[in-house]
Amino acid sequence: MLQNEDVRFTSSSIKLPPFSPPPLHHHTPNPFFANLHLVVQNFPKFPHLFRQNLNPRNAFLRTLSKLQHLFHQKFNPQNAILQFLIKPIIPFPWTLSNTSPLLCCASIALSQSNLDDSAPSLGTKTGSGNEERVLISEVLVRSKDGEELERKDLENEVLNALKACRPNSALTVQEVQEDVHRIIASGYFCSCMPVAVDTRDGIRLVFQVEPNQEFHGLVCEGANVLPAKFIEDSFRDGYGKIVNIKRIDEIISSINGWYMERGLFGAVSGVEMLSGGMIRLEVSEAEVNNIAIRFLDKTGEPTVGKTRPETILRQLTTKKGQVYSVLQGKRDVETVLAMGIMEDVSIIPQPAGDTGKVDLVMNVVERKSGGGISAGGGISSGITSGPLAGLIGSCAIYHKNLFGRNQKLNLSLERGQVDSVFRINYTDPWIEGDDKRTSRSIMIQNSRTPGTLVHNQPDGSLTIGRVTAGIEYSRPFRPKWNGTAGIIFQRAGARDDKGSPIIRDYYSSPLTASGNTHDDMLLAKLETVYTGSGDPGSSVFVFNMDQGLPVWSDWLVFNRVNARARKGLALGPMHLLLSFSGGHVVGNFPPHEAFAIGGTNSVRGYEEGAVGSSRSYVVGCGEISFPLTGPVEGAVFADYGSDLGSGPSVPGDPAGPRRKPGSGYGCGVGIRVDSPLGPLRLEYAFNDQRTGRFHFGVGLRN
């Protein structure tokens, strides 16, 4: 096929007509055929032609003569244009607006120039079965000038479209009209006039047709986001061929479908045949003119909001000047809801006057209070014995919307049989003036956690006390990827059951790296996180690194890297979950910071940290879950973990005296129950030493 060198694309502003809400359930016929029907229905009525004393032959000739005259007077092929009827789209269910959005679909139609509205309507049918019939001896196809058509394929298109008009057939005027409909409906002709000629052999019926022009070029206006290649590919097959209206209608539908698939407010708004075989395609795309925030109370009445409008607006990916996308708008609604300070959010698009653009109004309903007091409880996996093993109570004072900027302040206290954590945390989810969505978090924490993961004592409990303070910055740097960097100071040391500092455990192994009652360290932290779709079981990858900085001579210097990955695969109704984790430490580090292997989130079938305490480790897990009933799922699993022979290299070798094997595996069964906190897991596993153990956890394995 020859390369089309006459295709060019331009951009222009489009004025859109006002829009009215469509009915929710309405089947709209193709306007192309509907308007053709209107064209032919403007034929005059002649109810007096078929009286009993009237010659049917002469009446038929006079009627066709009037039809011919009507086509000449009422329908000028040179002024015929292709128009497109814009229909409004039904709003998305998450939109609270009753205003119809703009531009969603278009259909092709023929119109008449200078159409006389006073023309009588078609009325040749005097009653069912009462129309007079006239015998036609011959049916011919000619050009509008009465000459034979140069292209036999077009003549065949006319003959194939005829249903009633055949040689030696008795016809009514209604049947001739219907065949005219079919000829025009074939899409190849812009006019068709039936002409009756009275000959010696009888009445000769001649269909004088005017074919459409050959397609030689395209001018496209207003298509700013529609790819030029998409338009070129749509029209390329028709280059050098007679324009077919039905094919143009299919192209229009495909272009409108491209917009609809992407949720964009855009559609073809006009098509015009120009001289020389050129087609002008006009596309209307509704750009965002303005975005406004409107605060509502629970009754839907306007109110004064506590949140600054700019704090909400900067969360939106929809910007002024973009072609509005309802899919992008839906994601913006979800983003604003994820801020945690809104109870309800919706976006209402509406026409921006007659500019052809769209104004967006975001309705937001704020939560009653940005702050409050909460209380709760939990379970610690580090406590495995005692009358209240693992139970933790908590309370918090918080504010989620400081200064109307979505900044968050949290003061919390957790207390258990051994555990205790007091934390002050301030978070700014998006630093003002930053265009990279950088967040900042400042944290001060005083914690006391069990030391049994590494240094379980037969003669009493041992806890690790930590005082921590730091600042972290986080930002997304690619889709689904997030990075964090920070500086953290930590002072950590061991204490006995009376709270007194100790430097050696029951086996005389050191509990600090410096030999003092506590270790000081300043850590530079780097972390990279990849999250897939966000659904439970989707792909996750986390890599983090801590580097001790030698600011003072007695501060610890070490490097610790850790990585974990999770991948979910669907196996029909079942789901396979594979997970892997591993890490390594180089340098002088506190023994209580060694990797603990074994337990609910490591190797099931073992107590927490019972497999090993190491400088290096790997843990792998395979799990198959399957539906049982409702929100309950069953699961079978197998875990394996190893310290890679690095247990003795930990300062004091805490794993050696406690006879930790250094490697082990476990397998078992469990059930999962969906909950707002994530899957609740109850599992029973056997380890390679043939001992069994129950495990309870919340959420997916780390």
Side-chain angles (χ1 to χ4, degrees), residues 133-389:
R133 295 183 174 274
V134 175
L135 182 64
I136 300 299
S137 63
E138 189 177 9
V139 177
L140 297 178
V141 179
R142 293 291 185 264
S143 68
K144 66 176 182 178
D145 300 324
E147 304 294 333
E148 290 189 8
L149 293 179
E150 296 180 1
R151 298 183 54 163
K152 293 300 180 182
D153 57 334
L154 294 178
E155 181 177 342
N156 292 334
E157 290 289 344
V158 175
L159 296 176
N160 292 335
L162 299 178
K163 182 177 180 182
C165 297
R166 302 291 182 183
N168 301 319
S169 60
L171 304 177
T172 65
V173 174
Q174 177 69 24
E175 290 173 335
V176 176
Q177 294 172 5
E178 291 174 353
D179 274 349
V180 170
H181 282 239
R182 296 185 183 96
I183 293 172
I184 297 297
S186 68
Y188 290 100
F189 307 96
C190 58
S191 69
C192 175
M193 292 174 289
V195 178
V197 180
D198 193 3
T199 67
R200 180 179 59 184
D201 299 327
I203 295 179
R204 176 188 299 157
L205 183 58
V206 180
F207 289 97
Q208 294 185 352
V209 297
E210 181 181 0
N212 294 325
Q213 301 180 56
E214 289 186 356
F215 174 60
H216 290 294
L218 173 70
V219 178
C220 183
E221 299 178 352
N224 298 316
V225 298
L226 183 67
K229 188 177 185 303
F230 182 88
I231 305 177
E232 292 173 355
D233 292 343
S234 299
F235 281 92
R236 181 171 286 114
D237 291 343
Y239 184 74
K241 300 179 181 178
I242 294 294
V243 173
N244 186 286
I245 304 302
K246 292 197 298 183
R247 174 56 184 158
I248 297 294
D249 192 30
E250 293 174 359
I251 293 174
I252 300 307
S253 297
S254 67
I255 293 175
N256 294 336
W258 185 92
Y259 283 103
M260 294 183 69
E261 287 175 3
R262 290 155 181 80
L264 296 170
F265 273 22
V268 175
S269 57
V271 170
E272 184 179 1
M273 288 293 302
L274 305 177
S275 60
M278 299 290 292
I279 293 180
R280 186 176 71 88
L281 184 70
E282 187 176 356
V283 178
S284 297
E285 297 175 346
E287 296 180 353
V288 177
N289 178 64
N290 187 45
I291 306 175
I293 304 297
R294 182 168 59 189
F295 293 92
L296 304 176
D297 58 22
K298 288 190 175 181
T299 63
E301 296 297 324
T303 186
V304 178
K306 300 177 182 178
T307 307
R308 296 190 178 190
E310 58 268 22
T311 300
I312 302 174
L313 289 173
R314 68 178 182 175
Q315 300 287 335
L316 310 182
T317 57
T318 301
K319 303 297 181 183
K320 295 181 182 180
Q322 293 181 348
V323 177
Y324 179 59
S325 166
V326 293
L327 299 180
Q328 190 175 8
K330 186 176 181 180
R331 289 192 294 268
D332 286 339
V333 168
E334 295 171 349
T335 300
V336 175
L337 284 173
M339 295 169 64
I341 58 177
M342 302 298 172
E343 189 170 308
D344 191 23
V345 180
S346 62
I347 291 181
I348 302 175
Q350 47 189 290
D354 60 351
T355 63
K357 298 183 179 182
V358 59
D359 285 334
L360 301 180
V361 178
M362 173 170 279
N363 290 331
V364 296
V365 180
E366 292 181 304
R367 296 189 183 275
K368 278 187 176 181
S369 174
I373 301 175
S374 66
I379 296 177
S380 172
S381 62
I383 303 297
T384 59
S385 62
L388 299 176

Side-chain angles (χ1 to χ4, degrees), residues 36-91:
L36 283 177
H37 185 67
L38 292 176
V39 170
V40 182
Q41 281 200 1
N42 280 291
F43 294 159
K45 294 182 179 180
F46 303 108
H48 61 283
L49 293 180
F50 294 114
R51 295 194 298 268
Q52 292 183 357
N53 60 349
L54 185 67
N55 185 335
R57 175 189 181 97
N58 295 333
F60 188 83
L61 292 173
R62 286 196 298 271
T63 300
L64 291 183
S65 175
K66 289 182 178 294
L67 292 179
Q68 178 180 357
H69 176 75
L70 178 68
F71 270 104
H72 278 298
Q73 297 298 324
K74 303 299 182 184
F75 185 74
N76 186 346
Q78 299 300 323
N79 296 327
I81 62 171
L82 297 172
Q83 297 177 345
F84 288 84
L85 307 178
I86 305 300
K87 305 278 193 287
I89 191 170
I90 298 175

Side-chain angles (χ1 to χ4, degrees), residues 413-416 418-422 446-449:
L413 174 64
E414 297 177 1
R415 180 66 177 167
V418 177
D419 302 61
S420 67
V421 179
F422 175 72
N446 188 351
S447 65
R448 183 182 175 190
T449 57

